[in-house]
Amino acid sequence: MRKLLFNRRVLISLAVVGGLLAVALWPTTVPVELGAVSRGPLMVTVDEEGTTRVRDRFIVSSPVAGRVLRIELEPGDAVKRGQIVARVRAEAPPLLDERTRAEAQAAIASARAALGRARAEEQRARATLAQLQRELTRIRELAQNRIVAPQELEAREAEAKGAEESVNAAVFAVQAATSEVQRAMARLAPPTPDAAGRVVTVTAPVDGVVLKRLRESESVVPPGDPLIEVGDPHRLEIVADLLSTDAVRVKPEARAIIEQWGGDKQLEARVRRIEPSGFTKISALGVEEQRVNVVLDFVDPAAAWTALGDAYRVEVRIVIWEAPAVLEVPTSALFREREKWAVYHVENGRARRVIVELGHQTGQEAEVVSGLSEGERVILHPGDTLSDGARVRERAPI
């Protein structure tokens, strides 16, 4: 009896140990997320932020130094070509201090002395010319009687011609010295009564709207000081600064998609120009980047983007390659196998590693040149613990 009980206990122990070994050695099934290899359109783009700007803008400046009167126009007001947009009252020149006045008086004295010297040179040149002309007359009479050689007559004629040119130069020197005297005296001349209070009007160069009002309150401005900016808001363009490594991939006339501009739908644009010169820009992380401006024009009619204005932010996607139907796989299924790309596809409930050849890639999809077929299911985000031949099952969606 005791022997039977002992044998039963041994059998039960062996059965338990065998069951535990079977459970431990039984192959586990790895839950994975699956995706499909499909055929569809693929588009490779260069994405960057862009800014709208008025294509033709004009900065209206003050033509004279003076006091600009208050500008009543507001940004957004429409203006016509030739319309008065600002008024500038010419100011009297400032009073000269003692030092400046003494310098001006000395300049006048110096200019008058130079004028006297130039006039003396003119008188000397005229006297020399008269003397040479009298001698030339006598030489001609002697030459007619063949008393002097023809060479002597030619030499005298050349001397008289040179004397005439010296007189002309002396006359020009007198005119220049006279102008110098007038300019020196102008610094001490009192302002004319009408020039001090004269109001100069500034007009708009083109039809458009006021983009910016650079001067609002009454203030003193120098000549050339900007007052307002005028432009046509219906002639907008987009400027996007791309990395130089991305700019070389963009071609003129390339199609572009405008997103996140505030409207309900995407806008179409086209690259008009890629600027030949780049510039350095500091990124948000403090890294120096070489950037290139790319200018785009809207393809959609103005009614589609009429809500946009100058210096509005947009998202630009410039298309550098696209195809209507290619075999594509999610990029999240790809991983590196030495120097090649590979994926795990599911075959009879097991993961099988496959080497694939890829073409164009985006952030979400990649073109499959060889290695996969349409409809195959691949494992997304494969972990390092996943191996070739492992049992897998699709993870239930959360």
Side-chain angles (χ1 to χ4, degrees), residues 8 27 51 169 272 285 301 330 361 380:
R8 182 179 298 177
T51 305
R272 185 176 86 243
L285 300 177
Q361 300 183 44
L380 305 179

Side-chain angles (χ1 to χ4, degrees), residues 35-43 321 323-331 334 358 360 362 364-369 372-376 378:
V37 179
S38 59
R39 188 173 296 275
L42 186 64
M43 181 170 59
W321 182 87
V326 297
L327 191 65
E328 54 190 25
V329 63
T331 55
L334 300 172
L358 302 179
H360 296 87
T362 67
Q364 291 78 32
E365 304 291 337
E367 178 188 10
V368 178
V369 178
L372 293 173
S373 302
E374 183 178 358
E376 289 190 72
V378 294

Side-chain angles (χ1 to χ4, degrees), residues 60-68 88-89 91 202 215 219-227:
V60 182
S61 304
S62 174
V64 296
R67 181 175 294 275
V68 60
V88 181
R89 179 183 293 116
E91 295 286 339
V202 184
R215 290 279 184 176
S219 59
V220 178
V221 296
D225 192 71
L227 302 177

Side-chain angles (χ1 to χ4, degrees), residues 238-381:
I238 302 171
V239 181
D241 56 329
L242 306 183
L243 289 171
S244 58
T245 53
D246 290 335
V248 297
R249 303 164 61 195
V250 177
K251 305 299 180 183
E253 300 300 323
R255 188 169 73 91
I257 302 171
I258 309 303
E259 299 177 334
Q260 299 184 23
W261 60 278
D264 298 332
K265 62 178 184 178
Q266 298 176 345
L267 298 176
E268 291 287 331
R270 194 165 298 278
V271 175
R272 185 176 86 243
R273 182 175 67 253
I274 304 167
E275 294 187 355
S277 179
F279 57 93
T280 302
K281 183 178 180 180
I282 306 299
S283 67
L285 300 177
V287 179
E288 288 189 357
E289 299 175 340
Q290 288 303 118
R291 294 273 176 170
V292 178
N293 280 335
V294 177
V295 184
L296 305 95
D297 290 329
F298 286 102
V299 175
D300 295 289
W305 45 268
T306 185
L308 287 173
D310 184 46
Y312 281 37
R313 175 191 172 278
V314 296
E315 288 286 339
V316 179
R317 298 179 60 200
I318 302 176
V319 180
I320 59 176
W321 182 87
E322 61 180 334
V326 297
L327 191 65
E328 54 190 25
V329 63
T331 55
S332 58
L334 300 172
F335 62 93
R336 298 295 291 183
E337 182 69 19
R338 293 185 177 86
E339 296 182 357
K340 297 182 179 180
W341 288 105
V343 297
Y344 283 111
H345 77 104
V346 179
E347 181 180 342
N348 298 325
R350 294 181 180 273
R352 299 299 181 184
R353 185 169 54 244
V354 179
I355 302 299
V356 295
E357 182 182 354
L358 302 179
H360 296 87
Q361 300 183 44
T362 67
Q364 291 78 32
E365 304 291 337
E367 178 188 10
V368 178
V369 178
S370 63
L372 293 173
S373 302
E374 183 178 358
E376 289 190 72
R377 295 170 65 82
V378 294
I379 298 175
L380 305 179
H381 311 289

Side-chain angles (χ1 to χ4, degrees), residues 44-85:
V44 181
T45 62
V46 174
D47 303 343
E48 191 57 70
E49 289 186 4
T51 305
T52 62
R53 72 180 181 189
V54 172
R55 186 168 181 177
D56 299 315
R57 61 197 311 129
F58 299 85
I59 299 179
V60 182
S61 304
S62 174
V64 296
R67 181 175 294 275
V68 60
L69 304 181
R70 182 177 178 83
I71 300 177
E72 301 295 338
L73 292 173
E74 299 282 347
D77 290 347
V79 294
K80 295 291 185 180
R81 181 177 183 179
Q83 177 183 340
I84 297 176
V85 296

Side-chain angles (χ1 to χ4, degrees), residues 141-153:
E141 293 176 355
L142 296 175
Q144 290 177 357
N145 297 326
R146 297 186 179 182
I147 298 176
V148 298
Q151 292 82 358
E152 182 69 18
L153 176 61

